[in-house]
Amino acid sequence: MKTNHLSPLTLDEIVSLLEYDRTRAEHELFPLARKVKEESVGNTVYFRGLIEFSNYCHKNCLYCGLRRENRRVARYDIPDEEILAMARFAREHNYASIVMQSGERSDAHFVERVEKLLAAIIKESAGELRITLSCGEQSAEVYERWYAAGATRYLLRIESSKRELYHQIHPQDENHSFEKRVECLKLLKRLGYQTGTGVMIGLPGQNTLDLASDLCFFRDLDIHMVGMGPFIEHQETPLAGSHPQMLPLQERLFLALKMVAVLRIMMKDINIAAATALQAIDPTGREQALAVGANVIMPNITPKKYREDYKLYENKPCTDEDPWQCQGCLERRIASVGNTIGYGEFGDSKHYKEQISKKNDKKQKI
Ligand code: SAM
Ligand code: SF4
């Protein structure tokens, strides 16, 4: 690999890395990414207990099983008490962080409910849990309220940083605006959130130049965390069906691993999640991502009875398991790639912490 990883990779270099065949990837790209990971963030994997607390959604993204027009999904809102019990489960199992994820809603009732839940979890956990939200696009006021109530991290995937592709996978209306999504990401950063984004890999019509541009988008935005994974069809969505130009699933997985590896080389100290969708293609998909640069895993701690109704895509793994069943299985899988679990550690993004300390230094000098 000719790339001098000390200087920023150019767009052309990134495209060329993403086009490596298996032999070159396995002998050149992946070992370098592994080394960069070891040297910059180490081999500790941080857990974020994932709570899929509601599947109501007012959006209609063309790829997602939770889209408003999918009438075949039973909608649920997990009662507050059960959500608090899941947060307790995370703390008792030393996860130190949870992610509260839902479909997108912006009605006053939803906003207030999330705010109250955040406050209740913070109170009960006495500051021992970091909370990430993943509840879509909201106004500045809502993001501020949720931050004040205790959420410190936010995940909002850009899905694709190429405007035309974004429009191809979303309805053409003001409820699905590319510009608004970018604005929300900038806003989240400005408000002080540890901010994460990501894309789907293997979308119809997407090429390696698009994906390389996605990686540059993360770098230009100076993002703190990334979670990206393969696109997987869901039968009850408009993007399902035969798209002649679609990559086979195994190729999407391989491309996703190369995306993780190149991103680790480009942004050494950010947090990169091993996406659950990797596991939908290969049972060891997430461990493969850990071995080439990822350092975060989101074990699903949603009770089994709700999981069947949070199917974003086909073949979503572990929908027939309860939270405690995930734990032992994950420990073995993570050890198999020489990584250890950072039980009890918040695992904040190093990149975020660096940014904050630089800002504070600057303030002191003024
Ligand atoms: N509603 C919020 C949002 O869209 O930001 C958060 C929940 S949404 C279900 C979380 C992520 O699921 C999306 O950002 C999207 O990338 C992913 N997703 C949805 N459908 C998918 C599919 N068919 N294949 C892979 N990932 C998918
Ligand atoms: Fe709703 Fe998020 Fe699915 Fe879009 S990706 S339909 S916003 S849950």
Side-chain angles (χ1 to χ4, degrees):
M1 201 172 135
K2 288 212 181 78
T3 310
N4 167 12
H5 72 272
L6 295 176
S7 60
L9 289 172
T10 64
L11 187 63
D12 285 347
E13 284 171 330
I14 299 170
V15 172
S16 136
L17 292 171
L18 294 179
E19 288 178 355
Y20 271 15
D21 61 17
R22 280 181 199 271
T23 312
R24 277 198 90 181
E26 269 153 32
H27 287 94
E28 299 176 40
L29 175 61
F30 293 165
L32 175 59
R34 203 169 297 136
K35 182 164 172 274
V36 172
K37 174 183 159 181
E38 262 169 36
E39 288 171 1
S40 51
V41 292
N43 279 331
T44 305
V45 178
Y46 302 105
F47 274 5
R48 279 73 172 104
L50 176 64
I51 304 176
E52 297 164 332
F53 71 95
S54 170
N55 67 355
Y56 283 94
C57 187
H58 65 195
K59 280 194 149 181
N60 231 347
C61 307
L62 303 182
Y63 43 85
C64 175
L66 303 192
R67 65 195 305 270
R68 188 183 67 223
E69 279 175 18
N70 182 9
R71 315 251 179 257
R72 294 211 164 173
V73 63
R75 302 289 167 171
Y76 69 78
D77 256 328
I78 302 187
D80 291 0
E81 254 324 302
E82 280 187 69
I83 298 176
L84 291 176
M86 285 179 243
R88 224 170 287 136
F89 172 92
R91 200 155 66 92
E92 282 163 4
H93 287 79
N94 263 321
Y95 282 13
S97 299
I98 55 170
V99 176
M100 290 175 59
Q101 191 181 79
S102 69
E104 190 176 301
R105 277 173 61 182
S106 44
D107 53 284
H109 172 74
F110 178 76
V111 170
E112 198 179 316
R113 178 166 182 243
V114 172
E115 190 176 33
K116 286 193 174 144
L117 276 167
L118 288 167
I121 294 170
I122 292 290
K123 188 168 171 219
E124 197 178 294
S125 63
E128 281 180 28
L129 266 187
R130 288 271 197 275
I131 310 176
T132 308
L133 286 179
S134 173
C135 305
E137 295 159 37
Q138 305 290 341
S139 66
E141 187 223 323
V142 171
Y143 285 147
E144 272 172 323
R145 278 173 63 184
W146 287 348
Y147 190 85
T152 50
R153 304 170 178 159
Y154 206 100
L155 296 177
L156 186 74
R157 284 186 176 181
I158 188 66
E159 317 296 0
S160 167
S161 67
K162 185 183 182 184
R163 190 183 278 98
E164 302 88 85
L165 186 52
Y166 186 90
H167 288 310
Q168 278 165 29
I169 59 169
H170 293 97
Q172 310 270 336
D173 60 31
E174 68 288 350
N175 207 17
H176 300 82
S177 150
F178 174 78
E179 283 70 25
K180 176 155 187 231
R181 206 143 177 106
V182 176
E183 265 321 300
C184 281
L185 281 169
K186 292 183 179 163
L187 183 58
L188 287 163
K189 276 197 77 193
R190 267 204 309 278
L191 292 176
Y193 278 98
Q194 235 176 98
T195 307
T197 191
V199 291
M200 282 177 288
I201 297 157
L203 287 163
Q206 189 182 45
N207 58 35
T208 41
L209 178 60
D210 301 334
L211 289 168
S213 307
D214 289 336
L215 296 178
C216 292
F217 174 87
F218 305 153
R219 183 171 62 189
D220 293 345
L221 206 62
D222 206 10
I223 208 74
H224 311 124
M225 331 182 266
V226 170
M228 54 186 172
F231 161 65
I232 302 175
E233 294 89 332
H234 185 296
Q235 268 173 9
E236 301 297 330
T237 65
L239 278 201
S242 55
H243 284 274
Q245 74 275 46
M246 291 280 294
L247 284 177
L249 283 177
Q250 286 299 333
E251 286 303 311
R252 283 182 235 173
L253 169 65
F254 178 47
L255 197 47
L257 294 175
K258 288 189 281 185
M259 286 283 283
V260 168
V262 177
L263 180 63
R264 175 55 73 202
I265 295 165
M266 290 170 67
M267 301 187 78
K268 300 175 178 34
D269 58 354
I270 63 168
N271 277 347
I272 304 179
T276 311
L278 295 162
Q279 199 190 351
I281 298 182
D282 184 317
T284 65
R286 287 185 304 181
E287 297 77 88
Q288 292 181 45
L290 293 178
V292 301
N295 67 329
V296 167
I297 276 202
M298 294 167 37
N300 197 338
I301 57 168
T302 314
K304 186 162 82 179
K305 62 183 171 187
Y306 299 108
R307 292 195 193 186
E308 197 49 42
D309 293 316
Y310 204 86
K311 278 213 172 150
L312 314 174
Y313 45 81
E314 300 300 325
N315 208 14
K316 192 164 173 258
C318 305
T319 48
D320 57 349
E321 278 183 4
D322 263 316
W324 58 90
Q325 289 172 288
C326 283
Q327 172 122 354
C329 151
L330 261 174
E331 282 179 1
R332 281 190 301 279
R333 286 160 176 268
I334 289 166
S336 75
V337 287
N339 282 202
T340 49
I341 301 166
Y343 280 122
E345 294 180 55
F346 293 133
D348 284 314
S349 156
K350 259 178 120 177
H351 193 65
Y352 172 82
K353 289 202 276 192
E354 280 282 305
Q355 272 183 9
I356 296 293
S357 80
K358 271 187 204 152
K359 258 192 210 156
N360 290 343
D361 284 354
K362 232 180 182 177
K363 268 191 210 150
Q364 275 171 359
K365 277 186 196 139
I366 294 170

